[in-house]
Amino acid sequence: MSLTAAETTELLPAREVQLDRAVRVGLIGGLTAMFIVTSGMLETFDLRMIVDPILSLGYVTLMAAPFAVGYVAGKAPPVLEGYAAPSVGARNVQAGAIAGALTGAIYALYALIIHVLDFSSVFIKLTEQTKKIVTLDMGAGGVLILALVMAVSGAVGGAVHLLERRWKRAVLYSAFWVVMFGLLEVLVSQIAFVRRISAVKELLYGTDAGLTLIGAVIIGGLVFAAYYYLDGRVRAATRRAMALEGQQRRRFILISLGVAIVFLAVLPQILGPFLSEVLDLAGVFLLMALGLNIVVGFAGLLDLGYVAFFAVGAYTTAILTSPVSPKWSPELSFWTAIPFIILAAAAAGVMVGTPVLRLRGDYLAIVTLGFGEIARILFLSDALKPYFGGAQGMLLIPDIDIGPFTIDDSISFFYPIYAFVILFAYLSYALQDSRVGRAWMAMREDESVAEAMGVNIVAAKLWAFVIGAIFAAIGGALFAHKIGSVFPESFAILVSITVLVLIIVGGMGSVPGVTVGALALVALPELLREFAEFKFLFYGTLLIFMMLNRPEGFIPSRRRARELHLDEVEQDAWLAQAAEQDPAPAE
Amino acid sequence: MAQATTTARRRTRRLNPIDAFLWLIRIVAVVVILVGLTNSLTSGRLSAQQWRDLMVFGVSQGSVYALIALGYTLVYGVLKFINFAHGEVFMSSTMIGFFAADALARSGMWNDQPIVSLFIVLIVCMLTSTLVAITLERVAYRPLRGSPRLVPLITSIGASFFLQYTFAGLFGVGTRSWPQVEILQGSWQFLGFRIVRTQAVVILAALAMMALLYVFVERTRTGRAMRAVAEDQETAALMGIDVNRTIVVVFGVGGAMAGVAGFLWGLAFQTVFFFTGFLPGIKAFTAAVLGGIGNIAGAMVGGISLGIFEQVGPSAVLAGLGVEGFNQLKDVVAFTALVLVLIFRPSGILGERLSEERA
């Protein structure tokens, strides 16, 4: 782009959607489509109907690839200072269509190749069934149809940018919620409330766990209307609530707390035993996530062996309460065991924390990972079998008694678990603003500066480890009581990673973020058990995606977000980007 | 200066209980290891021959760790970040190498032309892992350069799981087994050591690769560029070094070494599945820290010592202490070694080679 001197004083011409970028994302889309086919996702997902006779989850996933690349390709580059804003138009659709068509072309080529040649000895998921799905069971014609639909899907993805913001959100969210409702039939059918008016359920869902066409239209329409109407109003209402002062503010907080408590109290009764079970598990993970949030989110210490503390809690309660504990069984109740669990966890926290006090952040990750593995192997080993039962684990852990009530099924376990969740969430908030909390944040931002300012780094680190350990140990103890037994295999490294994913997706250092993250990322995979083989693939992708695009998480803590998007860094990036795309005009 | 010493003194006073605790751990560790060693050496439970077998096995295992550790050390030296997914880079080469070896074995070439086919498979392994490592750098790590330290580390954890489950998705979760190499069956005698031939090949190949890498880093222009970028990226850029390209080379070389490791793993241990990279990956990082991170010779020393600790340690120390089922505790020994090294000598056996300000 060459510019005359006169023009440089005006706004520079808008940076338009670039078509060569569309080609690049189109190639990525094609690779993604190939991966969806080859990894067996297509076949597994095809078993699940979204809109009953027409659309399966498999095809939704396959079509989501060109849609996504079309959306990305059609998106105008960010408006920089000094440039005019680009106007939307045919170029967005064109870029989307190019990306989608390229995805479709690669897909078609690949589909034909695997249809003719047999790779099933290498790629074991390329079964006959997959080949059928790939071609719509119609041979080359089917492939062509799918490729065309992909091109259209890409164009639609690009065309989304033509919509005004309010429309765009409403359209995208209604599509998203139709898919979600299609997936979560079990959620609707389990809820007692709906069971009583089963006509609604029968209207929405077909026999095969997917939405009916009418159901899809109804849900899409409702969500669309809701987003279109509520756009901006929710935020305005929140702002008004936040602005309340004095008496009014106190009353508002009391009322919302009351509503929340009543809601939590009746929730398991409405949901029924199966969904309560799912929520219980999510609650246990939430306890761990709140603890890890203190260690990683507040103090910035990456602990990858966090599951060890969970195990310590579970085994301590097992030894103290189970009548068949191998070495010594005092048969305490859960409540009398709690102080000992806390002591054991604190001791474990100090044990792990002390040797790593002076290590650099990334060494810490590996050492804690090592500690996690040591703990698991020791619990599993024959050497400590007389104490912890080795591979056979520990059995007959009793139920929890609260006065006259016995907590023994998934519905009643909901209450103690979430009581602890509320307690720990409250503690997290309290700690965040306390002296040690401020020390953690200072340490997270810059350890040497914090130390120079008089923060006691040693104490701050040890407190983070100890408190994190206690949270996880209580979670572990509740888990042990709920399951009634403890096995070393429950404490694999994957649990630590899962908890890490929860807090990163929700937002490190943000209590509401962690809560939502845990509920969504533990409960959803539990409801979609049939796709369990793709769970960790999804988690891994999510971690990379979040770090690249939104390192502060979906519901960020304000301070943390500011750290991650330092103004200076953004300024530099801006300069670099501008220089890269437009070699500076003369002067 | 005077002020600095007073703060230092005040700090040591404040750290005292912690120091005391660490000294306690040090003393206990030394006593436990000495007691265990004397007990098992005097008990005569294992013959001298068996000890030597364990040593050789440890050295060959350690050579594989050392090759993987090079990838960690190179990347850490330049970017100051642990590429957690490096174990998966290693796994990818073993997995793809398996398919190459399997195809050759089916065609009969594996037995007819063993040297040629081994060479082909080696190239396939190296290409695969180099490609995976470079792609990782381009897609996941480059956009994050300059962001807070935890961010790329967490990304690499994500990448690690992404790669594991991608391989599980593509090739299935079952275990695959490399074909045996006829000419490498049997063993050689060497100075009273009995060395299984595959192990000998593993050790020699690893040593050769190390030497090559050492020459590459110390003697070539690109190697000098790598060292310059490790020292100070901005200055290196000002001196006309293409930093991005150099970093790609670092990842590529680390990947190629992991490829050799994957190849040797296939020869020596044969089995591979999608989780194969995880433990060797962590242990290789341990080895890198053990030898002194950022230090190429350190990776070698650290890898081989870790291999020996892990093979000999359970029998030598744990058995002497009367621990039951001590053979299950191999990994515990390896990780304990890591913790102990970090307590005793945080900069590793040969010391770190990192520029002062970043260390």
Side-chain angles (χ1 to χ4, degrees), chain A residues 377-434:
Chain A
I377 299 170
L378 285 183
F379 283 130
L380 183 64
S381 68
D382 288 343
L384 297 180
K385 195 171 176 181
Y387 304 93
F388 302 120
Q392 280 86 48
M394 314 222 349
L395 307 171
L396 290 182
I397 300 169
D399 298 323
I400 299 176
D401 290 314
I402 305 180
F405 304 104
T406 302
I407 306 288
D408 54 0
D409 60 357
S410 60
I411 292 185
S412 50
F413 253 107
F414 179 90
Y415 298 108
I417 291 177
Y418 279 84
F420 273 107
V421 165
I422 292 172
L423 175 68
F424 286 173
Y426 170 74
L427 283 179
S428 297
Y429 273 119
L431 282 170
Q432 194 173 7
D433 297 328
S434 71

Side-chain angles (χ1 to χ4, degrees), chain A residues 8-82:
Chain A
T8 50
T9 56
E10 303 288 306
L11 285 184
L12 292 165
R15 308 191 312 147
E16 289 290 348
V17 174
Q18 280 162 353
L19 297 184
D20 59 332
R21 185 155 168 273
V23 173
R24 226 170 32 222
V25 289
L27 288 173
I28 296 175
L31 285 178
T32 313
M34 281 168 66
F35 180 73
I36 291 171
V37 173
T38 323
S39 62
M41 260 186 222
L42 184 62
E43 187 181 334
T44 317
F45 288 4
D46 192 53
L47 299 173
R48 191 63 182 260
M49 284 297 172
I50 296 294
V51 180
D52 201 357
I54 321 165
L55 196 57
S56 74
L57 180 64
Y59 288 114
V60 169
T61 317
L62 197 58
M63 289 306 149
F67 181 82
V69 294
Y71 182 84
V72 172
K75 190 171 188 168
V79 182
L80 297 182
E81 202 183 322

Side-chain angles (χ1 to χ4, degrees), chain B residues 8-29:
Chain B
R9 202 176 301 143
R10 205 178 304 142
R11 207 164 76 186
T12 38
R13 202 177 304 144
R14 198 169 62 201
L15 290 179
N16 255 341
I18 306 290
D19 279 337
F21 182 72
L22 289 181
W23 273 111
L24 186 74
I25 297 183
R26 289 186 179 115
I27 294 165
V28 169

